Amino acid sequence: LASANMLQQQLLQYAGIRLVIAPKAPGYGILLKKVKGDNPAAYSLEMTGTQVTISASGDEGIFYGMMSLMQLVRTAKPKAAAAQVPCWNIADKPLFGWRGFMLDESRQFFGKAVVKKLLDEMASYKLNRFHWHLTDEPGWRLEIKQYPRLSLVGGIGVHGDSTAPAQYYTQDEIKEIVAYAKERHITVIPEIDMPGHATAANKAYPQFSGGGSAKYAEFTFNPGKEETYQYLTNILREVNVLFPSQMIHIGGDEVSFGSEKWKTDPAVQLLMQTKGLNSLLEVEHYFF
């Protein structure tokens, strides 16, 4: 029923066609059919002059068959979609299990309506992983209830304007978007950058900063303070509850852009001595 409702919405949106959902196919119209099979993402699309049949062993395959039908509808001539969609017989399955798209919302905040539109476009091309880059130098875009300043203060600014008003997603908005993605068989993977690209977070809670460099100020979390690890653990626990993907991307890149202060930071230097770390790269490895 969920798949039928989705198809009904798509046809109404893109072709102005209103479907009547019936429990049994009357011999014409669109039939969504569950069949036996090993790959729940595989599907077949069979079309005649009177009926379209989408068959798959799983809801995912039914959905992808619907998206293939909608690709044909959306490329049909305007105002003639109902009559001008050509008949195709298609048997299809994904070549890759991970078909991803990444959106950076730290440097430029787009907002819920744009994200939903992107998810719709992802679904139409059968992409199934939405990598959501929510924190970086310019801004922190995710509400963390235990540390509200992360979004209220860390959310201030965008690339090119460090004074832009705070913009971020509340946890309720995150849940809404994750549910919207799930309806389209898209898994949302959040990215919470560490130990570099932490400038926005450090603006909110400077006590956890590991400093930076002349070009990248306050760029890192401090790997020498034990309280840093509890702080980040608390953040990741809240993030994990919001995203059922069982996966969080933690960046880990370009730390050397702003780890210069680690050379003189007392906590980092003590860590290196007590743990026998011989380079800043080894400090990074210890952090992870």
Side-chain angles (χ1 to χ4, degrees):
L1 184 59
S3 296
N5 285 329
M6 178 72 69
L7 183 57
Q8 186 180 49
Q9 294 168 20
Q10 293 267 317
L11 284 169
L12 187 60
Q13 179 179 352
Y14 293 110
I17 299 171
R18 185 179 298 277
L19 291 180
V20 175
I21 298 176
K24 294 182 179 180
Y28 58 87
I30 301 172
L31 173 64
L32 307 180
K33 184 179 179 182
K34 284 288 189 72
V35 296
K36 292 183 178 180
D38 297 327
N39 188 341
Y43 69 91
S44 67
L45 172 63
E46 299 172 340
M47 304 172 70
T48 70
T50 58
Q51 184 162 295
V52 175
T53 303
I54 299 170
S55 305
S57 64
D59 292 338
E60 192 177 4
I62 293 288
F63 181 80
Y64 293 145
M66 287 165 31
M67 291 301 100
S68 287
L69 174 61
M70 288 309 307
Q71 284 179 317
L72 297 172
V73 170
R74 291 174 68 174
T75 55
K77 293 179 180 179
K79 299 182 181 179
Q84 297 298 318
V85 176
C87 290
W88 285 74
N89 289 327
I90 299 171
D92 190 21
K93 62 182 178 181
L95 179 61
F96 299 107
W98 187 294
R99 304 179 300 282
F101 178 88
M102 191 274 279
L103 179 67
D104 180 349
E105 289 220 68
S106 175
R107 292 171 176 84
Q108 179 65 50
F109 185 82
F110 293 96
K112 186 169 64 173
V114 172
V115 171
K116 286 185 174 181
K117 185 176 180 181
L118 284 170
L119 290 168
D120 284 339
E121 290 302 311
M122 284 181 64
S124 73
Y125 290 104
K126 307 181 184 72
L127 302 180
N128 67 348
R129 296 291 188 275
F130 180 53
H131 184 128
W132 206 1
H133 188 52
L134 290 167
T135 76
D136 211 303
E137 296 167 70
W140 182 286
R141 307 300 181 198
L142 167 65
E143 177 190 25
I144 301 296
K145 292 187 181 295
Q146 190 168 348
Y147 303 103
R149 287 174 59 86
L150 282 171
S151 52
L152 296 175
V153 176
I156 296 172
V158 293
H159 183 68
D161 183 2
S162 61
T163 65
Q167 298 178 95
Y168 62 92
Y169 294 98
T170 66
Q171 292 199 2
D172 284 342
E173 288 174 322
I174 293 287
K175 292 173 185 176
E176 180 183 341
I177 291 169
V178 168
Y180 192 88
K182 184 179 180 182
E183 290 175 350
R184 288 149 182 80
H185 296 273
I186 296 170
T187 300
V188 183
I189 296 114
E191 180 173 349
I192 310 296
D193 261 319
M194 60 183 74
H197 293 281
T199 311
N202 289 335
K203 184 167 56 177
Y205 293 95
Q207 63 268 41
F208 303 111
S209 176
S213 62
K215 189 175 180 180
Y216 299 97
E218 307 303 326
F219 188 74
T220 65
F221 293 114
N222 194 317
K225 294 181 176 180
E226 192 59 36
E227 54 266 36
T228 300
Y229 298 99
Q230 189 59 59
Y231 167 64
L232 294 175
T233 296
N234 293 339
I235 290 170
L236 292 178
R237 281 175 174 159
E238 282 199 37
V239 173
N240 190 51
V241 169
L242 292 170
F243 296 91
S245 58
Q246 296 296 299
M247 202 177 301
I248 300 172
H249 193 290
I250 57 175
D253 62 318
E254 301 172 339
V255 183
S256 61
F257 286 7
S259 61
E260 185 178 337
K261 286 287 181 66
W262 289 4
K263 297 176 182 177
T264 56
D265 183 88
V268 176
Q269 288 302 302
L270 180 61
L271 174 72
M272 294 179 73
Q273 293 171 17
T274 56
K275 300 294 183 180
L277 307 176
N278 298 312
S279 68
L280 297 188
L281 181 59
E282 289 188 18
V283 174
E284 285 184 46
H285 293 169
Y286 173 84
F287 172 90
F288 287 115

